[in-house]
Amino acid sequence: MKAIVVTSQGGPEVLEYKDVEPPQPSEGQLLVDVTYAGINYIDTYFRSGTYPSNPPYIPGTEGCGRVVEDPLGKIAPGTLVAWHAAPGSYAEQVAVDRNRLVAVPEGVAPEVAASMLLQGMTSHYLLHGVRETQPGDTMVVTAGAGGVGLILTQMAAAEEATVYSVVSTEEKEKLAYEAGATKVFRYGEDLAEQIKAENGGGVDVVYDGVGQDTFAMCLNVTRPRGLVCSFGSASGDVEPFKIQELNAHGALFLTRPSLKHYVATDDEFLMRAQAVARAVEEGTVKIRVHPPYSLENARQAHEDLQARKTTGSVVLNV
Ligand code: NDP
């Protein structure tokens, strides 16, 4: 079968389109023909070596596709399923854990299904896991027109939270407003002051996927006893800092969460996955998919994602 292979740690150029052996599903797994593979920022951390990885390997963990065969005979061949945690998803076939997939609801497009779970469940646990969102909560969302950013904004707006979205371009600003942001800002020196002037004294929580470039802003924009949720580092890892900074900024709480700890059990996975699939099916969350790249163009997709050229979710058409 054809697949993308990370040949060594490095930039997008280490992604190669190759012939490889198809996967052998182990007990508890199903073999699936991939229709679309989801691309997530974390794929670039593993590719570059920011997170540990052992090349050569097939990247990607998320996607949507049709079941080839279920050894237990419970899921009919041809059933369209979506998953978020099947290593090797940038490929024509992948082995998926049977306890970590959902059937794609009728009417949900495959490219949407391929990108809804990882970013959707992340948004869900940020709003209903890291803390419980209440109507009237105020929050900052950085990278507000990215894959997570647009879903998080829609879910938060549906909870009647006030969302201050931060983006880098006019096009992204428009998308953030369409997603339900209360007010959209651009990055800059006085960003925290601008948001505090708007909101009158600091927000309850900041959800930051940018990391190094925005961490100081996060501390400055959060109200006393508020929460800084640093869940990603698109601009690089946050530099080491003195814990007393949290005190100096008003006894802040700080967390650095990740999805795997919020879908730790099959039950928790199902609860979040079904909530996301339902919201997408009902249309309360609309997944914006950037124009799909072909599987062999995965390199270009990674380049564009890291160059901030994409909006919404990114997928490979397999
Ligand atoms: P996005 O689609 O949001 O793409 C990244 C965005 O980050 C860019 O579009 C850009 O938006 C912004 N950005 C700001 N500075 C930089 C920079 N220096 N280089 C590149 N991008 C920059 O990606 P995802 O939705 O896949 O992920 C968003 C973040 O969430 C990532 O950090 C990711 O690791 C994290 N994440 C964390 C999870 C967790 O459980 N902890 C789970 C899923 C994602 P703009 O131009 O508007 O600034």
Side-chain angles (χ1 to χ4, degrees):
M1 67 169 190
K2 294 287 188 192
I4 295 296
V5 176
V6 174
T7 50
S8 60
Q9 286 176 348
E13 70 283 354
V14 303
L15 298 174
E16 287 186 20
Y17 183 63
K18 288 192 162 192
D19 283 307
V20 299
E21 288 302 312
Q24 298 292 328
S26 59
E27 211 178 313
Q29 291 186 320
L30 304 177
L31 186 65
V32 173
D33 277 334
V34 180
T35 311
Y36 284 92
I39 293 191
N40 290 282
Y41 218 90
I42 194 170
D43 304 342
T44 72
Y45 304 147
F46 283 114
R47 190 209 66 220
S48 65
T50 301
Y51 285 0
S53 64
N54 268 327
Y57 70 94
I58 303 173
T61 61
E62 184 177 40
C64 150
R66 296 201 179 270
V67 172
V68 176
E69 196 196 352
D70 177 4
L72 299 185
K74 290 186 175 167
I75 305 181
T79 304
L80 194 61
V81 294
W83 61 89
H84 84 289
S89 288
Y90 291 11
E92 287 178 336
Q93 291 194 322
V94 69
V96 182
D97 289 350
R98 67 165 57 249
N99 295 340
R100 295 291 169 139
L101 53 75
V102 291
V104 176
E106 197 75 25
V108 173
E111 65 273 28
V112 167
S115 50
M116 69 180 180
L117 282 184
L118 198 152
Q119 296 168 350
M121 291 194 298
T122 297
S123 303
H124 191 272
Y125 88 71
L126 292 174
L127 298 172
H128 303 288
V130 165
R131 74 193 283 283
E132 193 56 35
T133 306
Q134 305 293 336
D137 277 357
T138 53
M139 61 182 69
V140 170
V141 174
T142 59
V148 174
L150 286 178
I151 302 172
L152 182 59
T153 301
Q154 291 174 72
M155 287 186 179
E159 301 286 346
E160 296 174 38
T162 297
V163 181
Y164 301 116
S165 180
V166 187
V167 301
S168 62
T169 67
E170 204 176 319
E171 184 206 1
K172 291 182 179 185
E173 178 175 326
K174 193 164 163 277
L175 293 173
Y177 275 123
E178 281 169 14
T182 312
K183 189 154 172 116
V184 184
F185 295 81
R186 302 290 173 85
Y187 304 90
E189 285 285 293
D190 62 343
L191 175 59
E193 280 61 42
Q194 284 184 44
I195 296 175
K196 283 197 284 192
E198 177 73 22
N199 130 283
V203 297
D204 297 315
V205 52
V206 47
Y207 291 115
D208 180 52
V210 172
Q212 194 173 91
D213 290 356
T214 44
F215 188 66
M217 182 281 292
C218 293
L219 297 180
N220 287 329
V221 80
T222 307
R223 67 157 168 79
R225 291 162 53 175
L227 173 68
V228 174
C229 177
S230 174
F231 70 96
S233 32
S235 67
D237 278 340
V238 172
E239 300 286 349
F241 77 108
K242 289 203 166 62
I243 201 167
Q244 276 293 356
E245 288 280 316
L246 298 175
N247 183 16
H249 284 86
L252 300 180
F253 293 84
L254 171 67
T255 183
R256 201 318 179 181
S258 67
L259 175 60
K260 71 175 177 198
H261 298 294
Y262 284 88
V263 290
T265 62
D266 291 344
D267 283 350
E268 194 173 17
F269 161 75
L270 263 190
M271 180 273 287
R272 296 198 198 284
Q274 285 172 350
V276 170
R278 206 167 36 243
V280 171
E281 185 182 15
E282 289 168 355
T284 45
V285 168
K286 293 190 172 54
I287 310 276
R288 178 189 167 84
V289 183
H290 193 80
Y293 297 83
S294 64
L295 179 63
E296 52 191 307
N297 269 333
R299 193 181 283 184
Q300 186 66 50
H302 272 220
E303 274 172 17
D304 290 353
L305 180 64
Q306 292 190 274
R308 306 165 79 162
K309 289 184 181 162
T310 65
T311 54
S313 307
V314 183
V315 296
L316 297 172
N317 186 345
V318 180

